[in-house]
Amino acid sequence: MRSEHPATLAAAPEQGATEEATAVAHPNIALIKYWGKRDEDLVLPRVDSLSMTLDVFPTTTRVRLRADAAHDQVTLNGAPARGEALRRVVAFLDLVRERAGRAHRAVVDSENTVPTGAGLASSASGFAALAVAAAAAYGLDLDATALSRLARRGSGSASRSVFGGFAVWHAGPARGTAQEADLASHAEPVPTGDLDPALVVAVLDAGPKEVSSRTAMRRTVDTSPLYESWAASSGADLAEMRAALLAGDIETVGEVAERNALGMHATMLAARPAVRYMTPATLAVLDRVLRIRRDGVPAYATMDAGPNVKVLCRRADAGQVAAALWEAAADGTVLVAGPGPGARLLGGDGR
Ligand code: DP6
């Protein structure tokens, strides 16, 4: 989207804020999942996670400070935000205001091209874009690490969308003070070898989910007898994944990603009451991925808090994989994504 509003309008010399800023961020898909918090308020995760930021579905967010306003005003895709969505944005702005030592309310306009709440990481791109735009508008001079830490407070997965390509989000030390944990829990880029990956996304149902990922992960940690064993095995998954990424070994990357995701879904199925995001359409696509593999094409599935399936493969195989998924996805849509850029401020010309 081209912004008609410059990122920098009048500077407020006493505070150094730009008063208005626009940022763009892309969603990311975790190959090693974030599932479970150890601190809800600080959004500290139980496990490290690793993702690929996509080159599709950007979110563009503009933040404008308003000296005369009594409340924040938030629109998502042109409609006023309400309820939990509004509460989360206002709480995030409160955090930015506290750090900046400023009280101005803001007008936030966010354009999200990903279906919201469908397990396609809309909160990741949303809070990464909001973190970058709000920090600039309120005059906080933050590097990428600090922006990742800030984005985390809006939504855990947003910490990874601050970076492009592959990123790992460190859980931080389990012991120590809250301040130490807060400082250590941010994402950073992950080095990769010769890997030319694609994620083929089968959107099977773009409607909002019945149970939010926030609620589902809390219930899983609190009640699932499988949670601790999945969390314990996730560390080994991450180490194996990092080595495979460095070696450019897409087969191992895919195998580890698929087992980590299925394990996460197993923890939810064992929660009380169970959380099940997979639908018959999800299973049909998973069956199809198995067949693609049996036909000799390395392709591996991952799913998040929704029925949609993302299939990791080589970019060279993406067309073939997408064609097979189109057949299996019945009423769904299929699109091919590659590694995308990190979150960034848009300039005055909207680019
Ligand atoms: C299944 O980042 O949406 O997509 O921190 O509560 O906002 P909150 O959760 P969120 O959870 C994402 C969970 C996941 C796995 C992942 O992205 O790692």
Side-chain angles (χ1 to χ4, degrees), residues 56-88:
V56 296
F57 296 145
T59 297
T60 305
T61 299
R62 186 178 66 192
V63 176
R64 288 173 287 165
L65 306 199
R66 280 286 174 271
D68 50 349
H71 303 285
D72 295 314
Q73 188 188 312
V74 181
T75 63
L76 302 174
N77 291 338
R82 298 185 203 289
E84 181 63 6
L86 176 63
R87 192 199 62 73
R88 281 177 69 171

PDB file of all heavy atoms in Angstrom, residues 56-88:
ATOM      1  N   VAL A  56       4.481 -12.421   1.572  1.00  0.00           N
ATOM      2  CA  VAL A  56       3.081 -12.152   1.214  1.00  0.00           C
ATOM      3  C   VAL A  56       2.341 -11.619   2.442  1.00  0.00           C
ATOM      4  O   VAL A  56       2.841 -11.695   3.551  1.00  0.00           O
ATOM      5  CB  VAL A  56       2.364 -13.438   0.725  1.00  0.00           C
ATOM      6  CG1 VAL A  56       2.986 -13.949  -0.563  1.00  0.00           C
ATOM      7  CG2 VAL A  56       2.398 -14.532   1.805  1.00  0.00           C
ATOM      8  N   PHE A  57       1.147 -11.106   2.197  1.00  0.00           N
ATOM      9  CA  PHE A  57       0.240 -10.669   3.270  1.00  0.00           C
ATOM     10  C   PHE A  57       0.821  -9.583   4.187  1.00  0.00           C
ATOM     11  O   PHE A  57       0.737  -9.680   5.420  1.00  0.00           O
ATOM     12  CB  PHE A  57      -0.148 -11.852   4.169  1.00  0.00           C
ATOM     13  CG  PHE A  57      -0.927 -12.951   3.501  1.00  0.00           C
ATOM     14  CD1 PHE A  57      -0.725 -14.281   3.867  1.00  0.00           C
ATOM     15  CD2 PHE A  57      -1.886 -12.673   2.542  1.00  0.00           C
ATOM     16  CE1 PHE A  57      -1.454 -15.309   3.281  1.00  0.00           C
ATOM     17  CE2 PHE A  57      -2.618 -13.697   1.938  1.00  0.00           C
ATOM     18  CZ  PHE A  57      -2.400 -15.013   2.321  1.00  0.00           C
ATOM     19  N   PRO A  58       1.394  -8.505   3.648  1.00  0.00           N
ATOM     20  CA  PRO A  58       1.917  -7.472   4.545  1.00  0.00           C
ATOM     21  C   PRO A  58       0.811  -6.741   5.311  1.00  0.00           C
ATOM     22  O   PRO A  58      -0.330  -6.669   4.850  1.00  0.00           O
ATOM     23  CB  PRO A  58       2.606  -6.496   3.583  1.00  0.00           C
ATOM     24  CG  PRO A  58       1.923  -6.706   2.274  1.00  0.00           C
ATOM     25  CD  PRO A  58       1.541  -8.164   2.230  1.00  0.00           C
ATOM     26  N   THR A  59       1.191  -6.244   6.469  1.00  0.00           N
ATOM     27  CA  THR A  59       0.330  -5.335   7.237  1.00  0.00           C
ATOM     28  C   THR A  59       0.991  -3.964   7.220  1.00  0.00           C
ATOM     29  O   THR A  59       2.192  -3.849   7.473  1.00  0.00           O
ATOM     30  CB  THR A  59       0.218  -5.796   8.699  1.00  0.00           C
ATOM     31  OG1 THR A  59      -0.407  -7.077   8.723  1.00  0.00           O
ATOM     32  CG2 THR A  59      -0.619  -4.826   9.532  1.00  0.00           C
ATOM     33  N   THR A  60       0.205  -2.932   6.911  1.00  0.00           N
ATOM     34  CA  THR A  60       0.734  -1.565   6.907  1.00  0.00           C
ATOM     35  C   THR A  60      -0.015  -0.776   7.974  1.00  0.00           C
ATOM     36  O   THR A  60      -1.248  -0.759   7.984  1.00  0.00           O
ATOM     37  CB  THR A  60       0.532  -0.912   5.526  1.00  0.00           C
ATOM     38  OG1 THR A  60       1.120  -1.763   4.542  1.00  0.00           O
ATOM     39  CG2 THR A  60       1.205   0.450   5.466  1.00  0.00           C
ATOM     40  N   THR A  61       0.737  -0.169   8.865  1.00  0.00           N
ATOM     41  CA  THR A  61       0.118   0.500  10.023  1.00  0.00           C
ATOM     42  C   THR A  61       0.652   1.917  10.166  1.00  0.00           C
ATOM     43  O   THR A  61       1.864   2.136  10.151  1.00  0.00           O
ATOM     44  CB  THR A  61       0.392  -0.305  11.311  1.00  0.00           C
ATOM     45  OG1 THR A  61      -0.189  -1.596  11.139  1.00  0.00           O
ATOM     46  CG2 THR A  61      -0.207   0.360  12.537  1.00  0.00           C
ATOM     47  N   ARG A  62      -0.299   2.849  10.300  1.00  0.00           N
ATOM     48  CA  ARG A  62       0.089   4.255  10.501  1.00  0.00           C
ATOM     49  C   ARG A  62      -0.318   4.687  11.900  1.00  0.00           C
ATOM     50  O   ARG A  62      -1.447   4.412  12.336  1.00  0.00           O
ATOM     51  CB  ARG A  62      -0.622   5.124   9.467  1.00  0.00           C
ATOM     52  CG  ARG A  62      -0.190   6.576   9.489  1.00  0.00           C
ATOM     53  CD  ARG A  62      -0.892   7.361   8.404  1.00  0.00           C
ATOM     54  NE  ARG A  62      -2.318   7.432   8.668  1.00  0.00           N
ATOM     55  CZ  ARG A  62      -3.222   7.863   7.789  1.00  0.00           C
ATOM     56  NH1 ARG A  62      -2.842   8.213   6.573  1.00  0.00           N
ATOM     57  NH2 ARG A  62      -4.494   7.912   8.114  1.00  0.00           N
ATOM     58  N   VAL A  63       0.606   5.332  12.584  1.00  0.00           N
ATOM     59  CA  VAL A  63       0.320   5.846  13.938  1.00  0.00           C
ATOM     60  C   VAL A  63       0.486   7.358  13.915  1.00  0.00           C
ATOM     61  O   VAL A  63       1.532   7.867  13.497  1.00  0.00           O
ATOM     62  CB  VAL A  63       1.288   5.225  14.982  1.00  0.00           C
ATOM     63  CG1 VAL A  63       1.068   5.833  16.371  1.00  0.00           C
ATOM     64  CG2 VAL A  63       1.113   3.707  15.043  1.00  0.00           C
ATOM     65  N   ARG A  64      -0.557   8.072  14.322  1.00  0.00           N
ATOM     66  CA  ARG A  64      -0.491   9.544  14.394  1.00  0.00           C
ATOM     67  C   ARG A  64      -0.831   9.981  15.808  1.00  0.00           C
ATOM     68  O   ARG A  64      -1.866   9.570  16.352  1.00  0.00           O
ATOM     69  CB  ARG A  64      -1.517  10.168  13.434  1.00  0.00           C
ATOM     70  CG  ARG A  64      -1.151  10.026  11.975  1.00  0.00           C
ATOM     71  CD  ARG A  64      -2.288  10.521  11.081  1.00  0.00           C
ATOM     72  NE  ARG A  64      -3.394   9.592  11.079  1.00  0.00           N
ATOM     73  CZ  ARG A  64      -4.617   9.880  10.627  1.00  0.00           C
ATOM     74  NH1 ARG A  64      -4.888  11.087  10.174  1.00  0.00           N
ATOM     75  NH2 ARG A  64      -5.564   8.966  10.646  1.00  0.00           N
ATOM     76  N   LEU A  65       0.024  10.785  16.398  1.00  0.00           N
ATOM     77  CA  LEU A  65      -0.242  11.261  17.755  1.00  0.00           C
ATOM     78  C   LEU A  65      -1.261  12.399  17.714  1.00  0.00           C
ATOM     79  O   LEU A  65      -1.275  13.184  16.775  1.00  0.00           O
ATOM     80  CB  LEU A  65       1.046  11.748  18.427  1.00  0.00           C
ATOM     81  CG  LEU A  65       2.218  10.777  18.465  1.00  0.00           C
ATOM     82  CD1 LEU A  65       3.211  11.200  19.539  1.00  0.00           C
ATOM     83  CD2 LEU A  65       1.783   9.342  18.691  1.00  0.00           C
ATOM     84  N   ARG A  66      -2.097  12.435  18.734  1.00  0.00           N
ATOM     85  CA  ARG A  66      -3.138  13.463  18.811  1.00  0.00           C
ATOM     86  C   ARG A  66      -3.096  14.119  20.186  1.00  0.00           C
ATOM     87  O   ARG A  66      -3.497  13.505  21.180  1.00  0.00           O
ATOM     88  CB  ARG A  66      -4.518  12.816  18.622  1.00  0.00           C
ATOM     89  CG  ARG A  66      -4.876  12.534  17.181  1.00  0.00           C
ATOM     90  CD  ARG A  66      -5.232  13.837  16.457  1.00  0.00           C
ATOM     91  NE  ARG A  66      -5.441  13.606  15.044  1.00  0.00           N
ATOM     92  CZ  ARG A  66      -4.466  13.648  14.130  1.00  0.00           C
ATOM     93  NH1 ARG A  66      -3.225  13.916  14.480  1.00  0.00           N
ATOM     94  NH2 ARG A  66      -4.730  13.448  12.869  1.00  0.00           N
ATOM     95  N   ALA A  67      -2.640  15.362  20.234  1.00  0.00           N
ATOM     96  CA  ALA A  67      -2.519  16.058  21.522  1.00  0.00           C
ATOM     97  C   ALA A  67      -3.880  16.290  22.164  1.00  0.00           C
ATOM     98  O   ALA A  67      -4.013  16.313  23.383  1.00  0.00           O
ATOM     99  CB  ALA A  67      -1.803  17.386  21.312  1.00  0.00           C
ATOM    100  N   ASP A  68      -4.906  16.433  21.315  1.00  0.00           N
ATOM    101  CA  ASP A  68      -6.226  16.839  21.822  1.00  0.00           C
ATOM    102  C   ASP A  68      -7.160  15.648  22.087  1.00  0.00           C
ATOM    103  O   ASP A  68      -8.290  15.845  22.493  1.00  0.00           O
ATOM    104  CB  ASP A  68      -6.882  17.782  20.804  1.00  0.00           C
ATOM    105  CG  ASP A  68      -6.856  17.197  19.394  1.00  0.00           C
ATOM    106  OD1 ASP A  68      -6.147  16.182  19.186  1.00  0.00           O
ATOM    107  OD2 ASP A  68      -7.540  17.733  18.515  1.00  0.00           O
ATOM    108  N   ALA A  69      -6.713  14.428  21.857  1.00  0.00           N
ATOM    109  CA  ALA A  69      -7.637  13.285  21.981  1.00  0.00           C
ATOM    110  C   ALA A  69      -7.595  12.683  23.383  1.00  0.00           C
ATOM    111  O   ALA A  69      -6.541  12.609  24.015  1.00  0.00           O
ATOM    112  CB  ALA A  69      -7.286  12.222  20.948  1.00  0.00           C
ATOM    113  N   ALA A  70      -8.777  12.233  23.845  1.00  0.00           N
ATOM    114  CA  ALA A  70      -8.864  11.615  25.173  1.00  0.00           C
ATOM    115  C   ALA A  70      -8.651  10.101  25.097  1.00  0.00           C
ATOM    116  O   ALA A  70      -8.347   9.457  26.091  1.00  0.00           O
ATOM    117  CB  ALA A  70     -10.215  11.918  25.797  1.00  0.00           C
ATOM    118  N   HIS A  71      -8.864   9.529  23.902  1.00  0.00           N
ATOM    119  CA  HIS A  71      -8.748   8.074  23.739  1.00  0.00           C
ATOM    120  C   HIS A  71      -7.954   7.760  22.484  1.00  0.00           C
ATOM    121  O   HIS A  71      -7.932   8.551  21.541  1.00  0.00           O
ATOM    122  CB  HIS A  71     -10.138   7.432  23.572  1.00  0.00           C
ATOM    123  CG  HIS A  71     -11.058   7.717  24.702  1.00  0.00           C
ATOM    124  ND1 HIS A  71     -10.937   7.095  25.922  1.00  0.00           N
ATOM    125  CD2 HIS A  71     -12.110   8.574  24.808  1.00  0.00           C
ATOM    126  CE1 HIS A  71     -11.876   7.559  26.728  1.00  0.00           C
ATOM    127  NE2 HIS A  71     -12.589   8.464  26.078  1.00  0.00           N
ATOM    128  N   ASP A  72      -7.380   6.557  22.465  1.00  0.00           N
ATOM    129  CA  ASP A  72      -6.803   6.065  21.213  1.00  0.00           C
ATOM    130  C   ASP A  72      -7.943   5.687  20.281  1.00  0.00           C
ATOM    131  O   ASP A  72      -8.989   5.201  20.717  1.00  0.00           O
ATOM    132  CB  ASP A  72      -5.941   4.825  21.480  1.00  0.00           C
ATOM    133  CG  ASP A  72      -4.731   5.150  22.332  1.00  0.00           C
ATOM    134  OD1 ASP A  72      -4.051   6.156  22.040  1.00  0.00           O
ATOM    135  OD2 ASP A  72      -4.468   4.414  23.298  1.00  0.00           O
ATOM    136  N   GLN A  73      -7.684   5.886  18.993  1.00  0.00           N
ATOM    137  CA  GLN A  73      -8.678   5.512  17.986  1.00  0.00           C
ATOM    138  C   GLN A  73      -8.004   4.525  17.042  1.00  0.00           C
ATOM    139  O   GLN A  73      -6.964   4.843  16.466  1.00  0.00           O
ATOM    140  CB  GLN A  73      -9.090   6.786  17.263  1.00  0.00           C
ATOM    141  CG  GLN A  73     -10.242   6.635  16.312  1.00  0.00           C
ATOM    142  CD  GLN A  73     -10.401   7.917  15.519  1.00  0.00           C
ATOM    143  OE1 GLN A  73     -10.400   9.012  16.093  1.00  0.00           O
ATOM    144  NE2 GLN A  73     -10.477   7.786  14.215  1.00  0.00           N
ATOM    145  N   VAL A  74      -8.572   3.336  16.907  1.00  0.00           N
ATOM    146  CA  VAL A  74      -7.899   2.274  16.148  1.00  0.00           C
ATOM    147  C   VAL A  74      -8.833   1.735  15.070  1.00  0.00           C
ATOM    148  O   VAL A  74      -9.971   1.357  15.368  1.00  0.00           O
ATOM    149  CB  VAL A  74      -7.493   1.109  17.082  1.00  0.00           C
ATOM    150  CG1 VAL A  74      -6.775   0.009  16.305  1.00  0.00           C
ATOM    151  CG2 VAL A  74      -6.624   1.620  18.226  1.00  0.00           C
ATOM    152  N   THR A  75      -8.379   1.729  13.834  1.00  0.00           N
ATOM    153  CA  THR A  75      -9.169   1.074  12.787  1.00  0.00           C
ATOM    154  C   THR A  75      -8.345  -0.053  12.183  1.00  0.00           C
ATOM    155  O   THR A  75      -7.142   0.065  11.966  1.00  0.00           O
ATOM    156  CB  THR A  75      -9.605   2.031  11.663  1.00  0.00           C
ATOM    157  OG1 THR A  75      -8.445   2.537  11.013  1.00  0.00           O
ATOM    158  CG2 THR A  75     -10.443   3.183  12.176  1.00  0.00           C
ATOM    159  N   LEU A  76      -9.020  -1.191  11.955  1.00  0.00           N
ATOM    160  CA  LEU A  76      -8.402  -2.344  11.305  1.00  0.00           C
ATOM    161  C   LEU A  76      -9.128  -2.544   9.986  1.00  0.00           C
ATOM    162  O   LEU A  76     -10.349  -2.751   9.973  1.00  0.00           O
ATOM    163  CB  LEU A  76      -8.528  -3.596  12.180  1.00  0.00           C
ATOM    164  CG  LEU A  76      -7.916  -3.506  13.584  1.00  0.00           C
ATOM    165  CD1 LEU A  76      -8.226  -4.763  14.407  1.00  0.00           C
ATOM    166  CD2 LEU A  76      -6.403  -3.321  13.504  1.00  0.00           C
ATOM    167  N   ASN A  77      -8.418  -2.429   8.898  1.00  0.00           N
ATOM    168  CA  ASN A  77      -9.030  -2.510   7.564  1.00  0.00           C
ATOM    169  C   ASN A  77     -10.240  -1.589   7.449  1.00  0.00           C
ATOM    170  O   ASN A  77     -11.292  -1.983   6.942  1.00  0.00           O
ATOM    171  CB  ASN A  77      -9.419  -3.953   7.221  1.00  0.00           C
ATOM    172  CG  ASN A  77      -8.187  -4.812   7.016  1.00  0.00           C
ATOM    173  OD1 ASN A  77      -7.103  -4.304   6.734  1.00  0.00           O
ATOM    174  ND2 ASN A  77      -8.336  -6.109   7.165  1.00  0.00           N
ATOM    175  N   GLY A  78     -10.097  -0.387   7.972  1.00  0.00           N
ATOM    176  CA  GLY A  78     -11.135   0.631   7.803  1.00  0.00           C
ATOM    177  C   GLY A  78     -12.257   0.573   8.828  1.00  0.00           C
ATOM    178  O   GLY A  78     -13.050   1.511   8.928  1.00  0.00           O
ATOM    179  N   ALA A  79     -12.348  -0.507   9.611  1.00  0.00           N
ATOM    180  CA  ALA A  79     -13.435  -0.618  10.591  1.00  0.00           C
ATOM    181  C   ALA A  79     -12.880  -0.358  11.993  1.00  0.00           C
ATOM    182  O   ALA A  79     -11.775  -0.802  12.305  1.00  0.00           O
ATOM    183  CB  ALA A  79     -14.067  -2.009  10.529  1.00  0.00           C
ATOM    184  N   PRO A  80     -13.651   0.358  12.833  1.00  0.00           N
ATOM    185  CA  PRO A  80     -13.148   0.626  14.188  1.00  0.00           C
ATOM    186  C   PRO A  80     -12.894  -0.680  14.940  1.00  0.00           C
ATOM    187  O   PRO A  80     -13.728  -1.589  14.913  1.00  0.00           O
ATOM    188  CB  PRO A  80     -14.292   1.401  14.851  1.00  0.00           C
ATOM    189  CG  PRO A  80     -15.193   1.837  13.751  1.00  0.00           C
ATOM    190  CD  PRO A  80     -14.990   0.922  12.594  1.00  0.00           C
ATOM    191  N   ALA A  81     -11.729  -0.772  15.604  1.00  0.00           N
ATOM    192  CA  ALA A  81     -11.424  -1.973  16.405  1.00  0.00           C
ATOM    193  C   ALA A  81     -12.225  -1.907  17.688  1.00  0.00           C
ATOM    194  O   ALA A  81     -12.447  -0.831  18.247  1.00  0.00           O
ATOM    195  CB  ALA A  81      -9.931  -2.013  16.705  1.00  0.00           C
ATOM    196  N   ARG A  82     -12.688  -3.066  18.149  1.00  0.00           N
ATOM    197  CA  ARG A  82     -13.473  -3.128  19.390  1.00  0.00           C
ATOM    198  C   ARG A  82     -12.970  -4.280  20.243  1.00  0.00           C
ATOM    199  O   ARG A  82     -12.202  -5.110  19.789  1.00  0.00           O
ATOM    200  CB  ARG A  82     -14.938  -3.418  19.062  1.00  0.00           C
ATOM    201  CG  ARG A  82     -15.593  -2.372  18.223  1.00  0.00           C
ATOM    202  CD  ARG A  82     -17.086  -2.680  18.054  1.00  0.00           C
ATOM    203  NE  ARG A  82     -17.628  -2.032  16.857  1.00  0.00           N
ATOM    204  CZ  ARG A  82     -17.819  -0.738  16.735  1.00  0.00           C
ATOM    205  NH1 ARG A  82     -17.520   0.069  17.739  1.00  0.00           N
ATOM    206  NH2 ARG A  82     -18.302  -0.208  15.620  1.00  0.00           N
ATOM    207  N   GLY A  83     -13.498  -4.354  21.445  1.00  0.00           N
ATOM    208  CA  GLY A  83     -13.289  -5.512  22.303  1.00  0.00           C
ATOM    209  C   GLY A  83     -11.818  -5.817  22.541  1.00  0.00           C
ATOM    210  O   GLY A  83     -11.003  -4.911  22.758  1.00  0.00           O
ATOM    211  N   GLU A  84     -11.507  -7.102  22.469  1.00  0.00           N
ATOM    212  CA  GLU A  84     -10.164  -7.581  22.787  1.00  0.00           C
ATOM    213  C   GLU A  84      -9.104  -7.001  21.838  1.00  0.00           C
ATOM    214  O   GLU A  84      -7.995  -6.663  22.265  1.00  0.00           O
ATOM    215  CB  GLU A  84     -10.175  -9.124  22.730  1.00  0.00           C
ATOM    216  CG  GLU A  84      -8.866  -9.809  23.054  1.00  0.00           C
ATOM    217  CD  GLU A  84      -8.358  -9.570  24.475  1.00  0.00           C
ATOM    218  OE1 GLU A  84      -9.065  -8.953  25.291  1.00  0.00           O
ATOM    219  OE2 GLU A  84      -7.224  -9.991  24.748  1.00  0.00           O
ATOM    220  N   ALA A  85      -9.454  -6.874  20.562  1.00  0.00           N
ATOM    221  CA  ALA A  85      -8.479  -6.347  19.589  1.00  0.00           C
ATOM    222  C   ALA A  85      -8.082  -4.920  19.975  1.00  0.00           C
ATOM    223  O   ALA A  85      -6.897  -4.564  19.978  1.00  0.00           O
ATOM    224  CB  ALA A  85      -9.074  -6.387  18.183  1.00  0.00           C
ATOM    225  N   LEU A  86      -9.086  -4.105  20.340  1.00  0.00           N
ATOM    226  CA  LEU A  86      -8.816  -2.713  20.732  1.00  0.00           C
ATOM    227  C   LEU A  86      -8.031  -2.686  22.042  1.00  0.00           C
ATOM    228  O   LEU A  86      -7.054  -1.947  22.183  1.00  0.00           O
ATOM    229  CB  LEU A  86     -10.144  -1.958  20.895  1.00  0.00           C
ATOM    230  CG  LEU A  86     -10.032  -0.521  21.390  1.00  0.00           C
ATOM    231  CD1 LEU A  86      -9.265   0.346  20.389  1.00  0.00           C
ATOM    232  CD2 LEU A  86     -11.428   0.076  21.635  1.00  0.00           C
ATOM    233  N   ARG A  87      -8.441  -3.533  22.989  1.00  0.00           N
ATOM    234  CA  ARG A  87      -7.774  -3.549  24.294  1.00  0.00           C
ATOM    235  C   ARG A  87      -6.285  -3.861  24.145  1.00  0.00           C
ATOM    236  O   ARG A  87      -5.434  -3.240  24.775  1.00  0.00           O
ATOM    237  CB  ARG A  87      -8.442  -4.604  25.188  1.00  0.00           C
ATOM    238  CG  ARG A  87      -8.030  -4.525  26.648  1.00  0.00           C
ATOM    239  CD  ARG A  87      -8.317  -5.807  27.407  1.00  0.00           C
ATOM    240  NE  ARG A  87      -7.582  -6.963  26.901  1.00  0.00           N
ATOM    241  CZ  ARG A  87      -6.284  -7.194  27.064  1.00  0.00           C
ATOM    242  NH1 ARG A  87      -5.549  -6.333  27.742  1.00  0.00           N
ATOM    243  NH2 ARG A  87      -5.703  -8.263  26.553  1.00  0.00           N
ATOM    244  N   ARG A  88      -5.967  -4.808  23.248  1.00  0.00           N
ATOM    245  CA  ARG A  88      -4.560  -5.183  23.080  1.00  0.00           C
ATOM    246  C   ARG A  88      -3.739  -4.055  22.451  1.00  0.00           C
ATOM    247  O   ARG A  88      -2.591  -3.823  22.833  1.00  0.00           O
ATOM    248  CB  ARG A  88      -4.452  -6.460  22.244  1.00  0.00           C
ATOM    249  CG  ARG A  88      -4.754  -7.694  23.072  1.00  0.00           C
ATOM    250  CD  ARG A  88      -4.738  -8.957  22.258  1.00  0.00           C
ATOM    251  NE  ARG A  88      -3.409  -9.346  21.791  1.00  0.00           N
ATOM    252  CZ  ARG A  88      -3.154 -10.506  21.201  1.00  0.00           C
ATOM    253  NH1 ARG A  88      -4.121 -11.383  20.998  1.00  0.00           N
ATOM    254  NH2 ARG A  88      -1.931 -10.809  20.808  1.00  0.00           N
TER     255      ARG A  88
END
